[in-house]
Amino acid sequence: MKLNPLVSKLALYDIAGTPGVAADVSHINTRSEVVGFMGEEQLGQALEGSDVVIIPAGVPRKPGMTRDDLFNINAGIVKSLCTAIAKYCPHALVNMISNPVNSTVPIASEVFKKAGTYDEKKLFGVTTLDVVRAKTFYAGKAKVNVAEVNVPVVGGHAGITILPLFSQATPKANLPDEDIKALTKRTQDGGTEVVEAKAGKGSATLSMAYAGAIFADACLKGLNGVPDVVECSFVQSSVTELPFFASKVRLGKNGVEEVLGLGPLSDYEKEGLEALKPELKSSIEKGIKFANQS
Ligand code: LMR
């Protein structure tokens, strides 16, 4: 975000260690002013005046864990951060990265509803890393220039709820069915591939930072009135019967300008779509229930 020319002020917040990170990042010779905030007592100052809040907080997976296994710790963290957002910057766009995204986005929506600040146009689950992975893996298999590749990824952000739509991938490559299945599985398991390679030292941070920066840049471009900014994101949706769903979203001056439909699906993708719904539904319900518990 320090490299982004649309950022004027970059407020960094954590429960510990922020002054060092802020000093380090602040030496980069780009436009934004960097300020570090540490500890709960400084959270309000960190958030005040924000146009976009990016939440990557919480604990990462270890090998053998699913994203849902992080729920017990990360749900509470997200809930308290969102409570502060509702108080200090209720109009900010919220980019939710903390896992399980399929549940943390519904948690945020409930917290904001309770506070009377919920605007469905301003809450986003960041699924850009799924798109980034789908593009990379497709380009490798199809032997096309990765810079030219586009692949929509819909559904959610965990295992089979991640549904890459390779039938809509461009440039077209007419890959055989077994390649499409392998690419789909690799995209769905992309996070796990990193978690296993890191062998207990966490999950994707560098590719996630890249993906998070791309998505936040799209939000900032939308806020600045740049036309035709479209990214996939997990948002409140009526594209399916589920209340939240990831699909292409057009971003504008108020956040979500339009949630785009799925477009034509192959039979394999239609099956994937039906298969993901029960898991996604229960993750969404789990988040809603948690937020309304206390
Ligand atoms: C990812 O997709 O890499 C992140 O959601 C982190 C994880 O646990 O997989």
Side-chain angles (χ1 to χ4, degrees):
M1 296 316 296
K2 180 67 175 116
L3 300 184
N4 193 313
L6 295 175
V7 178
S8 50
K9 185 172 167 193
L10 187 59
L12 306 178
Y13 171 78
D14 207 338
I15 50 172
T18 337
V21 179
D24 189 354
V25 173
S26 73
H27 290 184
I28 297 171
N29 60 325
T30 54
R31 173 187 171 216
S32 52
E33 176 207 341
V34 181
V35 202
F37 299 94
M38 189 168 73
E40 254 173 70
E41 62 287 353
Q42 294 189 354
L43 178 56
Q45 279 169 272
L47 291 171
E48 218 137 46
S50 298
D51 295 310
V52 177
V53 179
I54 304 170
I55 309 183
V59 292
R61 288 198 276 162
K62 290 197 186 310
M65 291 171 85
T66 66
R67 291 178 181 81
D68 186 58
D69 293 331
L70 306 174
F71 187 97
N72 288 344
I73 299 179
N74 290 358
I77 295 171
V78 163
K79 193 174 173 187
S80 54
L81 290 173
C82 289
T83 304
I85 289 171
K87 186 163 172 201
Y88 294 103
C89 54
H91 304 299
L93 304 192
V94 175
N95 292 187
M96 184 69 72
I97 293 175
S98 304
N99 272 318
V101 166
N102 292 353
S103 302
T104 53
V105 168
I107 291 173
S109 76
E110 291 302 302
V111 171
F112 296 151
K113 274 181 204 163
K114 267 196 195 165
T117 66
Y118 183 52
D119 180 347
E120 74 273 12
K121 292 185 168 58
K122 299 195 166 174
L123 176 59
F124 303 88
V126 178
T127 58
T128 317
L129 184 49
D130 302 318
V131 176
V132 164
R133 287 175 176 142
K135 287 179 176 178
T136 303
F137 303 156
Y138 178 83
K141 191 61 95 183
K143 306 219 177 337
V144 292
N145 178 0
V146 70
E148 286 169 18
V149 171
N150 268 309
V151 186
V153 182
V154 303
H157 179 66
I160 63 158
T161 71
I162 299 167
L163 184 63
L165 302 181
F166 287 113
S167 69
Q168 297 176 23
T170 52
K172 285 259 168 269
N174 293 320
L175 293 172
D177 288 356
E178 64 266 28
D179 282 357
I180 297 295
K181 280 187 186 158
L183 284 174
T184 301
K185 176 104 179 68
R186 188 162 180 215
T187 306
Q188 292 174 333
D189 294 345
T192 307
E193 187 177 314
V194 179
V195 168
E196 279 166 8
K198 291 200 174 181
K201 295 234 159 29
S203 57
T205 51
L206 303 172
S207 51
M208 181 54 94
Y210 170 75
I214 288 189
F215 188 71
D217 178 57
C219 289
L220 290 169
K221 282 187 175 133
L223 289 178
N224 279 277
V226 176
D228 279 326
V229 182
V230 175
E231 288 290 336
C232 290
S233 179
F234 184 65
V235 293
Q236 182 174 314
S237 171
S238 53
V239 163
T240 68
E241 63 274 30
L242 301 177
F244 293 91
F245 198 81
S247 65
K248 283 192 202 168
V249 168
R250 188 183 313 284
L251 295 152
K253 289 191 172 169
N254 299 307
V256 175
E257 203 155 80
E258 188 185 359
V259 178
L260 302 171
L262 298 180
L265 305 185
S266 68
D267 287 346
Y268 177 63
E269 291 160 358
K270 281 183 194 154
E271 272 170 39
L273 176 62
E274 289 317 306
L276 72 80
K277 285 180 184 170
E279 179 181 328
L280 188 50
K281 181 170 188 278
S282 93
S283 299
I284 292 169
E285 283 168 358
K286 187 171 174 179
I288 292 175
K289 189 167 164 220
F290 171 85
N292 290 309
Q293 252 162 19
S294 47

